Amino acid sequence: MSSLSRELVFLILQFLEEEKFKESVHRLEQESGFFFNMKHFEEKVQAGEWDEVEKYLSGFTKVDDNRYSMKIFFEIRKQKYLEALDRQDKAKAVEILVNDLKVFSTFNEDLYKEITQLLTLNNFRENEQLSKYGDTKTARSIMLVELKKLIEANPLFRDKLLFPTLKSARLRTLINQSLNWQHQLCKNPRSNPDIKTLFMDHSCTLSNGSLAPPPVNLPVAAVAKPAAYTSLGIHGPFQPAVAAPNAGALAGWMANAAASSSVQAAIVTASSIPLPPNQAVSLLKRPRTPPHAPGMIDYHTPDHEMMKRLRHAQSVDEVTYPTPRLPASWSLEDLPRTVCFTLHQGSAVSSMDFHPSRQTLLLVGSANGEITLWEVGLREKLVTKPFKVWDMAARSLQFQTAGLKDAISVSRVAWSPDGSYVGVAFTKHLVHMYAYAAPNELRLHIEIEAHAGVVNDLAFAHPNNQLCVVTCGDDKIIKVWDLTGRKLYNFEGHEAPVYSVCPHFKEDVQFIFSTALDGKIKAWLYDNVGSRVDYDAPGHWRTTMLYSADGKRLFSCGTSKEGDSYLVEWNENEGVIKKTYTGFRRKSNGVVQFDTTQNRFLAAGEDHQIKFWDMDNPNVLTSSDADGGLPSFPRLRFNKEGNLLAVSTVDNGIKILANAAGIRSLRPVDGPSFEATRIPIESTAMKGGVESMTRSIEKPRVLEDIDKTKPWQLAEIADPVQCRLVALPDTDNSSKVSKLLYTNSGIGILALGSNGVQKLWKWARNEHNPTGRATTNAIPQHWQPNNGLLMTNDVSNVNLEESVPCIALSKNDSYIMSGVGGKVMTTFMEPPPAATFLAFHPLDNNVIAVGMEDSTINIYNVRVVVVNRILRGHQKRISGLAFSTNHGILVSSGADGQICVWSIDSWEKKNAVTIQLPAGKAGVGDTRVQFHADQIRMLVVHESLLAVYDAAKMDCIRQWCPQDSLSAPITCATYSCNSQLVFATFYDGNVGVFDADSLKLRCRIAPSAYLSQAQLNGGQSVYPLVVAAHPQDPNQFAVGLTDGSVKVIEPSESEGKWGSVPPPMDVIQNGRTASSSANSSHNPDQIQR
């Protein structure tokens, strides 16, 4: 439809509105798809007219058009479903579930299952995520806010949310002008023409002897009255759409075509019409169209059809909203410029990349072919992998002939987007892929002979929702590989070695930018058709391209053969340079490397310095020499948060620079996590101003500040001022805490009392606690359901003194299962036997392993309410269960001191061992098991020992027995969230913090540090029965006490951690042996006393 036809529709819409044809107005809006009337949409949503809501939406988008549309329809149908449930109309709810919501199950099956589970509840508000659902009107209002954001963000609604600003009765005015025009063309115009129809051109006959009258200017009211069209016309001026190239973000790059002509209108000039003197004539003016208005050109090639749809988007599962670019509210303190320390790599650094989520995990490639994994927070090399050919026999004859005569260097290292794989490109033929398992394991995955000669670059991409590796090399080819080493695409077209690749995606279109040593930039779709772009990069030599973190802005940086360096931003729409950044030294002998961060800054290494730019300003913002020692062209890399910057040095090292938040995150990794401790820059500046922030950066607390000549000492915490703690508020402490859990999100703590009552505490998100996570800096709220009823297990006919409480929380925090000697949350089978331990399957929240009092294990399917299997192998009740997806096993432990290993595929028993207790200790008592984060090691806890086992072989690697200051029996123990520490509680009230690898004691927390005077001086002994570790903060833990209270404990702000890593020698500087040390021997009698 032409631009004028589109404008005519708007005129008709205005006319219909003025004439109060309400239904016709909205019908035309929907059928034309030109204007989305948000007011009408809101009215229908508030009225709950769901069929009309979806019918109206259908004129603009369909469910599967894009992720924004999908989210819009999902929110509407979910609300309709919840309202049916709220009316207790289960039949209607099932109909909506099957007919309307089923379509979303293919995209998120787990979510669909959770929605289905709501049918089983008497009140869906019992689901934690829906607990704050209010009345229907409020819920619809809240949903409308979300829908409006989604609609505004949806590219399909672009230019459809604003109605043009029109004068009242614009269509009538145009009709009057036309009638005037027709009347002037009459051969015999009458003074009072009688115009009876608009269906035919007007003409009138001349009366005898009469003269031509002046033109008739009919008042608008003669045709009809109207009022202002306020409901549609309040949005501001409308720019008519005309044909132009460039409908998509890369259409200009891909089209290689000149702008097409705009719509022309027929014109009648005034000079061709004879008019009487002084006669005012209303003429139709030629419509003017802006030369660069948004276009509606129809591309006629498949490439153009694809590229027309390019728009910015994030992940497939998430929706983000565009925000206007506001004036920058930042300062130089946002940049990581404070030098904290230097890591000694040992060989020249050639490439670096930070882990996408673990902000202090740095991958480094070296000139000697070695790759190293650094834990920056610990200043420790976790893994070093020297170069070697994994399978020489599988290599080509060319490679085997060349052999390893020349040194092989790393040209590029990169993490996969989810951090599960590492890719390494080498300067000779090969690419190595490693599978990463936290915290420090890199397993060989595959070796690919990718190119003939140097592999210059490597990057990960997701074409067709499949994780792939994109490589390029001196053989002038770009290749795409899947993770099995199979080549999927082979892009040829460069006439020089390909220097870099930059995969990216917009909406559902995946593409790759590539640069070559002749300065050519090309773009490729995943179709083996060929390049869509052929442009020249500034400098015409070595150039790399990067997108900003949000994917909205494209930059390139490079150096010419003459030594001139260039940093530019590209206009994707036109394929031209949008901005050139200045500040490089003339005639450099090397190649500039650069990086982007925070969607705000650029950094490049040149002239022994790091130079920073604001993306919106071409001039250098600031520069730093990082206290000296940088090469002419240092390699540099930001972490994903932008609070750390790694820079290579001339002496084969890496300097770590940080801002204030980065300095806090650089506490050793067993210190508080960055998210748990960071304070917004804005709030800090408000309190102390920029100067106070500067002072805090100038003297960061790093390990180098610690006096390493001091002898190691066990940290003893005996006073409340030596740590931070908060007591969770509770009005009923009538029963001891038997089980304790953090929610998986880290925002709450769940406790199960010996009386079957469950309690939940949740931390609020506010300015004092911006993350909303559990912290000792704020007191949480004791949460209760809206109906005021306690979450209580069925304990009728149960002997609470002999019962064994058990509880498990689903991975998505949506529901819990628990039992105290009776039914499990009143939905499971009747006892006996009673459940004694629960564990959700890690890959399916509908499957739960239930350990029983009679020593069996039931594999229970919650969804179909069926026991799939009953496992038998223990002699006494089950006291521990732990799944390992890496090994495909379930490990169970019993009160008989036995550990069994079961296959989760066949549920057959694979192995069984009895724990090795110290001499004189009976093999009875609860035994619990927990997997290390690496899923290889396993913590075994018994009242008489802590032990670490190899889960694959079930061999005991190391164990520790109570002794000296920690001589009482153990009540409970757990790994910290990063598996670097073990928190253990004892019957005498002590808490021990152990190094997880060595099981050496780092810190002892005495009861006086966390118990109140009333608890210490009371008639009954108070001690912790259970301990739980925060899921994100490795130094925070909570203890549940025998008096029913719960305490959350963290190290002091000044320390930030629980003691320090014990020395490798089992000697403490006070002259006695380290009785707290562990022994790796399998003979418990050899453990030191």
Side-chain angles (χ1 to χ4, degrees), residues 123-341:
N123 186 341
F124 63 78
R125 294 173 181 84
E126 295 172 19
N127 182 293
E128 181 185 348
Q129 297 182 34
L130 297 172
S131 61
K132 295 184 178 180
Y133 184 97
D135 56 68
T136 298
K137 183 178 180 180
T138 303
R140 289 175 182 173
S141 298
I142 293 172
M143 180 187 65
L144 260 176
V145 175
E146 177 79 2
L147 292 179
K148 290 173 70 174
K149 291 180 180 179
L150 289 165
I151 290 169
E152 290 166 1
N154 195 327
L156 295 178
F157 289 81
R158 194 163 297 159
D159 301 329
K160 297 180 180 180
L161 299 176
L162 297 179
F163 197 87
T165 299
L166 304 174
K167 292 183 178 180
S168 299
R170 178 60 181 161
L171 184 59
R172 292 179 175 81
T173 300
L174 292 176
I175 291 172
N176 273 334
Q177 291 174 348
S178 174
L179 293 175
N180 274 330
W181 185 269
Q182 293 175 41
H183 189 62
Q184 291 299 324
L185 295 180
C186 287
K187 293 182 180 179
N188 303 300
R190 297 174 60 185
S191 58
N192 295 303
D194 184 16
I195 300 177
K196 297 181 178 180
T197 180
L198 299 178
F199 294 162
M200 299 175 59
D201 288 346
H202 165 69
S203 65
C204 52
T205 58
L206 184 64
S207 300
N208 291 333
S210 62
L211 299 176
V216 178
N217 288 310
L218 295 176
V220 172
V223 180
K225 48 106 197 93
Y229 193 44
T230 56
S231 63
L232 296 181
I234 62 174
H235 303 292
F238 164 75
Q239 294 295 331
V242 297
N246 215 2
L250 286 185
W253 289 68
M254 301 299 184
N256 290 318
S260 62
S261 60
S262 60
V263 176
Q264 300 292 324
I267 305 168
V268 180
T269 61
S271 59
S272 63
I273 304 173
L275 296 176
N278 302 321
Q279 192 166 326
V281 180
S282 300
L283 296 177
L284 279 175
K285 294 184 178 180
R286 172 179 177 174
R288 293 196 168 192
T289 55
H292 300 295
M296 296 179 63
I297 187 168
D298 289 323
Y299 295 99
H300 300 295
T301 67
D303 298 340
H304 291 146
E305 287 300 320
M306 180 176 294
M307 301 318 294
K308 277 167 57 179
R309 299 196 302 273
L310 288 177
R311 294 287 187 274
H312 168 68
Q314 294 287 334
S315 69
V316 174
D317 298 324
E318 297 181 357
V319 174
T320 58
Y321 308 118
T323 55
R325 186 170 297 166
L326 300 175
S329 57
W330 52 267
S331 72
L332 289 177
E333 309 307 332
D334 293 343
L335 288 169
R337 296 183 299 148
T338 302
V339 179
C340 296
F341 50 82

Side-chain angles (χ1 to χ4, degrees), residues 849-894:
V850 184
M852 309 299 288
E853 191 176 40
D854 67 351
S855 78
T856 62
I857 304 167
N858 292 349
I859 306 303
Y860 178 67
N861 191 304
V862 179
R863 185 177 184 182
V864 295
V865 197
V866 169
V867 176
N868 294 336
R869 290 290 294 271
I870 298 179
L871 312 182
R872 294 181 171 87
H874 287 275
Q875 304 303 315
K876 294 187 178 181
R877 70 169 180 265
I878 304 302
S879 55
L881 294 167
F883 283 94
S884 170
T885 53
N886 281 18
H887 293 293
I889 59 175
L890 167 67
V891 176
S892 61
S893 58

